[in-house]
Amino acid sequence: MPPLTLSTFLGPCRGWLLVLSLSFLTPNAEAKLNVVVTLPDIAAVAQQVGGDLVQLTTLARPNEDPHFIDPKPSFIRILNKAELLIHGGAELENSWLPSLVQTTRNPKILSGGSGLVDASSGLQLLQKNTGNTDRASGDVHLSGNPHYLLSPDFVATVATNITRAFASADRVHESNYATNLAKFITRLQTKQQSWRATLQSGTGSKVITYHHSFDYLLSTFNYLLVDTIEPKPGIEPSPTHITTLIRKHRETGVKYILIEPNRGRKTPQRLAEILKAEVIVLPLMPGAVPNTDDYFLWMDYLVTRIAPAP
């Protein structure tokens, strides 16, 4: 009987030991792309394109006002590890995001970094402002109204922007992202036809909103925004302003008053009672109400809420 040696003992194990050792020395080809997204609406589109190939983390919660997110310390740790940071642009996150990014010192997502992605790139936004921008003008966005994902007409461009960013950061799965984008756009086109058919009889309906949050939604489906409860963006209404709204629209046939979930109900409800209109609370982001996390479920819900009664 040959003497027992370490070589004899390990002989049968060498194969799996080699595999195990190589697994620590070579990168994991199946590692997901680490993507941080500022807002739930952008995340809902990014998920459609990225699928199982990306690990998505969304900073803002669905029921928060995207203009004023509380920058938690945990955000810094999350951003430090990000390979991509996708933001909405149009100054929507300016009050909280830039300082966070600077604190992380992650070169990929700093200004000019390869991992910083503006989802609004290439869009022709409503209400682009080139005039007075002092506080008396309210919370004005120079680049235009940032709530563009409420229009299905803008979503294909946003999805394409995100696809390019994914493909650039993860060349191995470039064709997968392109396939996901094609499937998303095909489904989007079908759903757009359905949404337009549902809202066709509402064409021309007059609407008052609290903030300029739903302009894209109304414009896309040919509803008429006739006024806002805010006298200027971000400025709360005075009793005089509400009186003016009542006098102006008492006989104009306003059908809906649209507000976000974070708005108080008292003033919109009083206005609706006088104008014989209906107050409708619409989620500004996917996931703000149950069963609306998916982009299409969110849009289905919005369309159903403003659809005229049969």
Side-chain angles (χ1 to χ4, degrees):
M1 179 178 179
L4 291 175
T5 65
L6 183 61
S7 178
T8 303
F9 180 76
L10 292 179
C13 305
R14 283 176 178 165
W16 69 264
L17 283 173
L18 178 61
V19 172
L20 183 62
S21 62
L22 287 175
S23 70
F24 287 101
L25 296 175
T26 58
N28 181 4
E30 297 304 317
K32 295 184 178 184
L33 188 64
N34 189 353
V35 180
V36 178
V37 185
T38 55
L39 304 172
D41 55 349
I42 303 171
V45 178
Q47 189 64 67
Q48 295 284 333
V49 174
D52 294 335
L53 297 173
V54 300
Q55 177 63 50
L56 281 178
T57 303
T58 308
L59 298 181
R61 295 191 302 271
N63 57 355
E64 291 184 292
D65 185 336
H67 299 83
F68 307 108
I69 303 300
D70 181 23
K72 302 177 180 63
S74 61
F75 289 176
I76 297 175
R77 173 179 53 80
I78 293 169
L79 290 168
N80 269 326
K81 299 178 180 179
E83 296 175 79
L84 294 175
L85 170 60
I86 307 175
H87 64 100
E91 297 96 38
L92 179 59
E93 305 104 323
N94 272 13
S95 69
W96 58 276
L97 184 62
S99 60
L100 275 175
V101 171
Q102 288 297 323
T103 301
T104 66
R105 299 186 182 277
N106 179 346
K108 292 181 179 179
I109 64 172
L110 290 173
S111 179
S114 61
L116 185 62
V117 183
D118 183 345
S120 70
S121 179
L123 297 179
Q124 297 298 315
L125 302 183
L126 298 175
Q127 299 150 9
K128 188 171 182 178
N129 189 287
T130 57
N132 184 15
T133 59
D134 60 20
R135 180 55 190 165
S137 302
D139 294 328
V140 174
H141 298 277
L142 290 177
S143 300
N145 188 316
H147 305 293
Y148 50 82
L149 279 177
L150 282 155
S151 170
D153 293 345
F154 284 72
V155 176
T157 299
V158 173
T160 301
N161 291 339
I162 293 172
T163 301
R164 288 172 180 159
F166 286 173
S168 179
D170 180 16
R171 292 294 186 188
V172 173
H173 296 108
E174 184 173 359
S175 62
N176 301 84
Y177 297 127
T179 298
N180 290 347
L181 174 64
K183 290 179 180 178
F184 176 67
I185 291 178
T186 297
R187 186 181 178 192
L188 177 65
Q189 291 171 339
T190 300
K191 293 294 290 186
Q192 281 180 292
Q193 294 176 1
S194 173
W195 293 329
R196 290 185 188 281
T198 299
L199 296 178
Q200 185 174 10
S201 63
T203 296
S205 295
K206 295 179 180 178
V207 181
I208 292 175
T209 63
Y210 203 105
H211 181 72
H212 280 286
S213 297
F214 303 108
D215 295 40
Y216 291 99
L217 179 70
L218 300 175
S219 176
T220 297
F221 296 111
N222 299 313
Y223 283 48
L224 299 180
L225 176 63
V226 296
D227 230 318
T228 59
I229 291 178
E230 290 179 334
K232 294 177 182 178
I235 305 298
E236 287 301 309
S238 66
T240 300
H241 179 67
I242 297 302
T243 300
T244 300
L245 285 180
I246 293 170
R247 185 184 308 115
K248 183 178 178 181
H249 297 291
R250 189 185 290 273
E251 304 298 332
T252 59
V254 172
K255 186 168 185 178
Y256 300 127
I257 296 177
L258 305 184
I259 65 173
E260 307 91 324
N262 60 302
R263 301 293 181 185
R265 305 289 197 275
K266 184 176 180 180
T267 297
Q269 195 61 54
R270 174 187 166 222
L271 192 59
E273 289 171 359
I274 295 173
L275 300 181
K276 296 180 174 56
E278 178 185 358
V279 174
I280 299 179
V281 180
L282 290 183
L284 193 58
M285 294 288 165
V289 298
N291 302 316
T292 61
D293 298 275
D294 172 91
Y295 174 78
F296 294 106
L297 293 175
W298 176 49
M299 285 303 304
D300 281 342
Y301 182 86
L302 295 174
V303 168
T304 300
R305 293 289 288 129
I306 65 171

